[in-house]
C-alpha cells in the first residue's frame, strides 16, 4: 500500500505547508542554506582548481571534483545538518517544546542532547554524494569541449551549468534522500524509518536504505527530485556563469 500511494504534487505541498505552518515556513533553514552554499561553492572551486591537472581528460576532472567535494563535506556537514533539521521540524500547533528557534539554538541543542558527533550524521551518504560533483563537472567540461563559452558575457556557461546540474542532481538523488532521512531528528512519531542505531553511521545509512526500499520501493529514492532540480538548476547556471567570467577576466587581465 505504501508503494502504491500517490505522491503529492509540488503545488499541493507548497499550499499545505503555507496553510498549516504559514508562509514563513517555506523559508525554514534559509540562513544555514545560504551559509552552506557560500562555503561549499567557494571552497569547492578553490580545491577543484588545485586538484585538477592541466589539460586532463574527463576522468581527471571527475577525480578532482570528488576530492574537492570530500574536503567540503567535512567542513560543511554540520551546517547542512542544521539546515535539514530546521526544514523538517513542524511549525504548527502540535510542535513540541524542543523546537529549534534558529541556527545557533539548533547547534547548541544538537551538541547538548546528542553530542558533537551528531553534527556529522549523514556523513557517509554525503561522501557518496561527491559523485554528484563528478557527474556535474564531467558533463560541464564535455559541453565546454564541444563549444567553449566565448565573449565577455560567457553566456553559454548559463546553459551548461543548468544542464550539468540537472544530470548530476537526477543521477545522485537517491544519496540525497538517504542523507536527509539519516540527518532528521528522532524520535519522530510520523515516520516509518529508524534513525538512532547503536551501530553508528554505517548502520543508520544501511537501515535507511533498507527501510526506504521496503516501504516505498525504487520510487521512494526519488521523492522530491523535481522540486530539488528546479531549486538547484538556476543557482548552478548563475554560479558557473560567474565562474567563467571571473576565470576569463583573470586570464585576459581584464578585471574591471
Amino acid at each position: 500500500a505504501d508503494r502504491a500511494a500517490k505522491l503529492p504534487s509540488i503545488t499541493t505541498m507548497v499550499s499545505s505547508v503555507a496553510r498549516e505552518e504559514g508562509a514563513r515556513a517555506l523559508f525554514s533553514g534559509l540562513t544555514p542554506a545560504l551559509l552552506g552554499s557560500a562555503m561549499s561553492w567557494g571552497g569547492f572551486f578553490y580545491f577543484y582548481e588545485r586538484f585538477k591537472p592541466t589539460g586532463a581528460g574527463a576522468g581527471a576532472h571527475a577525480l578532482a571534483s570528488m576530492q574537492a567535494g570530500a574536503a567540503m563535506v567535512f567542513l560543511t556537514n554540520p551546517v547542512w545538518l542544521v539546515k535539514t533539521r530546521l526544514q523538517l521540524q513542524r511549525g504548527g500547533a502540535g510542535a513540541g517544546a524542543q523546537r529549534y528557534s534558529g541556527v545557533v539554538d539548533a547547534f547548541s541543542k544538537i551538541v547538548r542532547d546528542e553530542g558533537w558527533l551528531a553534527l556529522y550524521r549523514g556523513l557517509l551518504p554525503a561522501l557518496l554524494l561527491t559523485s554528484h560533483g563528478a557527474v556535474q563537472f564531467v558533463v560541464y567540461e564535455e559541453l565546454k569541449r564541444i563549444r567553449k563559452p566565448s565573449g565577455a558575457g560567457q553566456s553559454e556557461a548559463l546553459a551548461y551549468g543548468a544542464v550539468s546540474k540537472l544530470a548530476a542532481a537526477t543521477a545522485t538523488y537517491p544519496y540525497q534522500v538517504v542523507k536527509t532521512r539519516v540527518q532528521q531528528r528522532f524520535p519522530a512519531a510520523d515516520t516509518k524509518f529508524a534513525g538512532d542505531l547503536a551501530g553508528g553511521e554505517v548502520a543508520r545509512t544501511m537501515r535507511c536504505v533498507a527501510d526506504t526500499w521496503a516501504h516505498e520501493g525504487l520510487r521512494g529514492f526519488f521523492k522530491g527530485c523535481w522540486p530539488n532540480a528546479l531549486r538547484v538548476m538556476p543557482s548552478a547556471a548563475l554560479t558557473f556563469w560567474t565562474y567563467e567570467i571571473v576565470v576569463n577576466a583573470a586570464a585576459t587581465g581584464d578585471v574591471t
Side-chain angles (χ1 to χ4, degrees):
D2 288 325
R3 296 190 184 194
K6 184 178 180 181
L7 297 179
S9 66
I10 298 175
T11 54
T12 300
M13 287 303 300
V14 170
S15 61
S16 175
V17 171
R19 181 178 64 254
E20 296 178 11
E21 304 177 54
R24 186 177 180 180
L26 296 172
F27 295 91
S28 295
L30 179 61
T31 299
L34 292 173
L35 176 62
S37 292
M39 292 173 62
S40 296
W41 279 114
F44 184 90
F45 280 118
Y46 174 83
F47 287 116
Y48 177 72
E49 286 298 325
R50 277 150 183 77
F51 292 144
K52 182 180 71 173
T54 303
H61 289 142
L63 180 59
S65 176
M66 293 179 71
Q67 290 174 317
M72 295 315 301
V73 164
F74 284 99
L75 291 173
T76 63
N77 196 80
V79 178
W80 294 119
L81 180 132
V82 167
K83 178 193 80 79
T84 298
R85 294 285 184 92
L86 289 172
Q87 289 179 330
L88 291 181
Q89 68 179 354
R90 300 298 297 268
Q98 290 299 308
R99 270 180 52 83
Y100 304 128
S101 62
V103 176
V104 176
D105 183 58
F107 270 112
S108 62
K109 283 182 177 175
I110 290 169
V111 173
R112 183 193 68 197
D113 299 338
E114 305 171 55
W116 69 269
L117 283 176
L119 295 173
Y120 283 90
R121 287 236 177 135
L123 184 67
L124 178 58
L127 288 172
L128 293 175
L129 265 170
T130 58
S131 59
H132 176 111
V135 173
Q136 182 175 357
F137 271 82
V138 166
V139 173
Y140 184 78
E141 295 288 352
E142 286 301 302
L143 289 172
K144 282 178 63 177
R145 186 179 62 81
I146 295 171
R147 177 170 176 170
K148 189 174 180 63
S150 58
Q154 304 284 304
S155 58
E156 294 92 343
L158 285 168
Y160 296 169
V163 171
S164 62
K165 192 67 172 181
L166 176 61
T170 304
T172 63
Y173 194 72
Y175 296 142
Q176 183 67 50
V177 170
V178 173
K179 172 174 169 280
T180 299
R181 290 181 173 181
V182 169
Q183 287 184 334
Q184 67 179 306
R185 195 179 190 183
F186 288 92
D190 60 346
T191 184
K192 301 183 181 72
F193 304 97
D196 289 328
L197 298 177
E201 184 67 18
V202 175
R204 278 192 294 269
T205 301
M206 298 308 295
R207 178 63 179 272
C208 181
V209 171
D211 285 351
T212 300
W213 177 261
H215 292 293
E216 302 167 75
L218 180 62
R219 193 179 185 186
F221 291 99
F222 289 91
K223 280 188 173 180
C225 185
W226 282 115
N228 179 67
L230 293 174
R231 176 182 67 86
V232 299
M233 285 174 63
S235 63
L238 290 172
T239 299
F240 278 92
W241 176 62
T242 304
Y243 168 71
E244 292 293 348
I245 288 179
V246 171
V247 169
N248 182 65
T252 60
D254 182 12
V255 293
T256 57

